[in-house]
Amino acid sequence: MKQQVFITVILTSFIFLGLNDNSTLKKPLFNDNYNFIAINEIKMWVSNNGDGSHDPNTGEPTTFALCGDPIAGTGWYEGPGWPDGAAAYDRRMQVNSGPFTFAPGDTNEIVFAIIMAIGDDYLDSVTELKKKTRAIREFYYTGVMSHIDNKTSTRPLRYTLSQNYPNPFNPSTTIEFSLPISDNVQIEIYNIAGQKIETLLNKRMPAGDHKIEYNARNLASGIYFYQIQAGQFQDVKKMIMIK
């Protein structure tokens, strides 16, 4: 008769990697065999002997980096919850547990879940992820999957900048772009010499498909470029003004 035993293994180390240039936490470096991490390029928030780091807001020991709640606006999280800390950006994290001691002949089952969710913006994505995490945790322990209310949304899956139309044009044209999440958007017009002519848009926009009308009645005939910058997305396209 087999006996099923559930063992909760505590976290013994946690590596938080910052990938943006403004952060003191850098992307790890690997050699050709991907078996070496440059130790000066990572930050250990929990050492391999279980000694923890400290919450920068309270000075209290903590096992987890960024252990706050950005939805509730409490604790240590990127942005307002981390004064003078790294800005919110793409992240890579490594979680380690152990060591383990097994008797000869033991068999063990390791279960892990990769959970993905997307909302209308960064914070809403965290909200959706929490919902799915609770449902999957319940399924693991009970075998019953609660209904997960997936958002029905027509928001785009990626950033895009479309070709303006009409093109060539005189004097007006339409520029369309798409955002998968709410983001700061800047659209600028440049001449063929690379000089900025004007800024069409510079503000935070919601997720979705957008279009703006550009009236170039004051421009001479010629080739121009329009550039979009939204978060880390950047793209440039050519347009032709003909009078």
Side-chain angles (χ1 to χ4, degrees), residues 3-243:
Q3 181 180 9
Q4 189 174 32
V5 179
F6 290 93
I7 301 175
T8 301
V9 181
I10 64 171
L11 176 72
T12 53
S13 67
F14 189 105
I15 300 173
F16 165 60
L17 307 170
L19 303 187
N20 53 319
D21 293 336
N22 295 328
S23 173
T24 57
L25 312 177
K26 301 296 184 178
K27 181 177 180 179
L29 301 178
F30 298 91
N31 69 2
D32 293 339
N33 295 321
Y34 294 94
N35 59 8
F36 172 76
I37 301 179
I39 193 65
N40 64 335
E41 294 292 331
I42 64 176
K43 180 74 172 181
M44 294 288 293
W45 292 104
V46 180
S47 66
N48 57 10
N49 64 3
D51 294 333
S53 186
H54 293 80
D55 186 318
N57 296 307
T58 65
E60 295 296 321
T62 178
T63 304
F64 296 94
L66 302 175
C67 51
D69 186 345
I71 305 301
T74 59
W76 177 17
Y77 62 95
E78 289 184 310
W82 192 358
D84 300 321
Y89 198 70
D90 185 21
R91 294 289 176 242
R92 294 182 184 180
M93 297 185 182
Q94 176 179 317
V95 178
N96 304 307
S97 296
F100 304 97
T101 302
F102 300 113
D106 275 356
T107 59
N108 299 278
E109 180 180 282
I110 298 174
V111 179
F112 67 92
I114 299 175
I115 308 170
M116 295 177 286
I118 186 169
D120 294 329
D121 55 29
Y122 292 120
L123 288 181
D124 192 46
S125 294
V126 174
T127 300
E128 294 300 309
L129 185 62
K130 286 185 174 184
K131 292 178 183 177
K132 290 189 176 182
T133 300
R134 286 192 293 267
I136 291 173
R137 183 188 298 119
E138 179 184 358
F139 173 74
Y140 176 74
Y141 285 110
T142 67
V144 178
M145 174 64 79
S146 297
H147 173 67
I148 300 178
D149 184 18
N150 290 311
K151 279 193 170 183
T152 301
S153 174
T154 58
R155 65 178 178 274
L157 297 178
R158 60 190 179 92
Y159 292 91
T160 61
L161 176 65
S162 300
Q163 184 64 54
N164 67 300
Y165 62 89
N167 189 43
F169 65 96
N170 178 27
S172 297
T173 188
T174 299
I175 297 174
E176 295 185 342
F177 62 95
S178 300
L179 305 174
I181 60 174
S182 175
D183 214 334
N184 295 313
V185 180
Q186 187 175 68
I187 296 180
E188 296 175 329
I189 305 297
Y190 293 84
N191 62 22
I192 198 168
Q195 300 169 316
K196 184 170 72 173
I197 303 299
E198 62 180 295
T199 299
L200 293 185
L201 183 67
N202 187 13
K203 67 177 183 179
R204 190 168 190 86
M205 300 291 289
D209 298 318
H210 303 275
K211 64 180 178 180
I212 55 176
E213 300 294 326
Y214 176 48
N215 192 314
R217 60 182 178 275
N218 295 325
L219 295 185
S221 296
I223 296 175
Y224 296 87
F225 299 88
Y226 57 101
Q227 174 181 282
I228 186 173
Q229 179 76 48
Q232 298 303 305
F233 173 74
Q234 183 175 328
D235 197 5
V236 178
K237 293 193 182 295
K238 181 174 69 175
M239 59 184 180
I240 301 174
M241 169 69 169
I242 297 179
K243 289 188 175 180

